[in-house]
């Protein structure tokens, strides 16, 4: 069963794990944080066509390393795993050979769907712009601006000083703004 199918059958997918035992089961982690992992991987540069596979790889790693869950928190731990898997994915040879098109082909859309189309295009544009950032800047930007993690927590997650995290965030934002002006 794919991760997305499991998530769609879950009654509430982004709730925190409130298990009686101290270590949540992998099933509880998937049900409570599956959408978070999927969203993170997408913003970290994994194309939608490969998200199911990479989500399963992430949760396989979670299963294998569940005993190494630290006191920093489950979300921070999951973010570190997602970051590593996304980075490794982008380094794979088959991914580097892909030729992505610059523009999305036009399609006929009913007027009632215009808003949804604009949102999808804005998300696609954001993903293309995020692809231009290096891993360090992208990670801090996604954590702080998109996932709304405090800068102190983001710096701790990536393992850098707070001033470095702020510097990376400002540089990423400036780079994204400059790229948006060019378009």
């Amino acid at each position: 069963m794919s991760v997305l199918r499991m998530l769609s059958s879950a009654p509430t997918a982004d709730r925190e794990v409130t298990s009686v035992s101290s270590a949540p089961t992998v099933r509880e982690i998937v049900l409570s944080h599956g959408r978070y992992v999927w969203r993170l991987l997408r913003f970290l540069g994994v194309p939608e066509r490969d998200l199911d596979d990479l989500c399963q790889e992430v949760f396989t790693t979670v299963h294998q390393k569940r005993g190494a869950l630290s006191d920093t928190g489950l979300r921070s731990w999951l973010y570190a795993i997602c970051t590593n898997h996304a980075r490794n994915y982008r380094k794979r040879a088959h991914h580097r050979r892909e030729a992505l098109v610059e523009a999305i082909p036009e399609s006929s859309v009913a007027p009632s769907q215009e808003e949804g189309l604009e949102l999808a295009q804005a998300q696609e544009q954001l993903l293309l712009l995020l692809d231009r950032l290096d891993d360090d800047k992208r990670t801090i930007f996604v954590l702080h601006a998109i996932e709304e993690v405090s800068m102190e927590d983001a710096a701790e997650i990536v393992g850098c000083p707070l001033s470095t995290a702020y510097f990376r965030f400002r540089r990423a934002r400036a780079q994204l703004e400059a790229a948006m002006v060019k378009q």
Side-chain angles (χ1 to χ4, degrees), residues 3 29 49 65 96 115 125 130 136 138-139 144-145 153 165 169:
V3 172
I29 294 171
R49 66 180 177 271
K65 298 183 183 243
R96 288 193 307 259
E115 206 170 280
Q125 182 182 11
L130 287 173
D136 293 334
R138 182 181 190 145
T139 300
H144 187 65
D153 291 342
F169 179 76

Side-chain angles (χ1 to χ4, degrees), residues 23-85:
T25 66
V26 174
R27 177 176 168 71
E28 290 173 331
I29 294 171
V30 170
L31 292 176
S32 63
H33 297 287
R35 289 186 184 187
Y36 172 73
V37 167
W38 192 91
R39 189 174 59 240
L40 282 176
L41 289 173
R42 185 66 184 113
F43 282 120
L44 290 172
V46 177
E48 197 166 336
R49 66 180 177 271
D50 294 330
L51 281 173
D52 276 347
D53 292 336
L54 216 57
C55 279
Q56 288 183 345
E57 288 180 27
V58 165
F59 288 116
T60 299
T61 302
V62 167
H63 175 68
Q64 293 169 345
K65 298 183 183 243
R66 199 175 72 210
L69 178 60
S70 66
D71 294 334
T72 61
L74 184 59
R75 282 192 152 214
S76 300
W77 187 63
L78 285 172
Y79 192 85
I81 293 171
C82 288
T83 301
N84 290 334
H85 277 283

Side-chain angles (χ1 to χ4, degrees), residues 7-181:
L7 292 176
S8 63
S9 65
T12 55
D14 266 347
R15 69 186 191 284
E16 288 293 322
V17 173
T18 56
S19 177
V20 175
S21 66
S22 62
T25 66
V26 174
R27 177 176 168 71
E28 290 173 331
I29 294 171
V30 170
L31 292 176
S32 63
H33 297 287
R35 289 186 184 187
Y36 172 73
V37 167
W38 192 91
R39 189 174 59 240
L40 282 176
L41 289 173
R42 185 66 184 113
F43 282 120
L44 290 172
V46 177
E48 197 166 336
R49 66 180 177 271
D50 294 330
L51 281 173
D52 276 347
D53 292 336
L54 216 57
C55 279
Q56 288 183 345
E57 288 180 27
V58 165
F59 288 116
T60 299
T61 302
V62 167
H63 175 68
Q64 293 169 345
K65 298 183 183 243
R66 199 175 72 210
L69 178 60
S70 66
D71 294 334
T72 61
L74 184 59
R75 282 192 152 214
S76 300
W77 187 63
L78 285 172
Y79 192 85
I81 293 171
C82 288
T83 301
N84 290 334
H85 277 283
R87 183 180 306 121
N88 291 340
Y89 171 84
R90 289 191 309 274
K91 288 180 182 177
R92 291 181 191 158
H94 75 277
H95 178 68
R96 288 193 307 259
R97 286 193 299 259
E98 291 180 3
L100 301 175
V101 295
E102 286 294 321
I104 299 172
E106 287 194 37
S107 60
S108 59
V109 178
S112 63
Q113 297 177 349
E114 285 179 9
E115 206 170 280
L117 179 62
E118 288 175 10
L119 178 61
Q121 288 174 340
Q123 288 175 339
E124 189 62 33
Q125 182 182 11
L126 174 63
L127 291 171
L128 290 173
L129 293 174
L130 287 173
D131 282 340
R132 295 179 184 174
L133 297 175
D134 63 45
D135 285 343
D136 293 334
K137 291 177 197 163
R138 182 181 190 145
T139 300
I140 289 292
F141 187 83
V142 168
L143 273 173
H144 187 65
I146 297 174
E147 291 299 325
E148 299 177 347
V149 172
S150 72
M151 191 58 78
E152 292 80 10
D153 291 342
E156 185 179 326
I157 289 170
V158 298
C160 71
L162 182 60
S163 59
T164 302
Y166 275 113
F167 176 77
R168 289 176 184 170
F169 179 76
R170 284 191 302 272
R171 297 286 296 199
R173 188 175 59 204
Q175 194 173 340
L176 290 173
E177 288 172 354
M180 287 173 42
V181 169

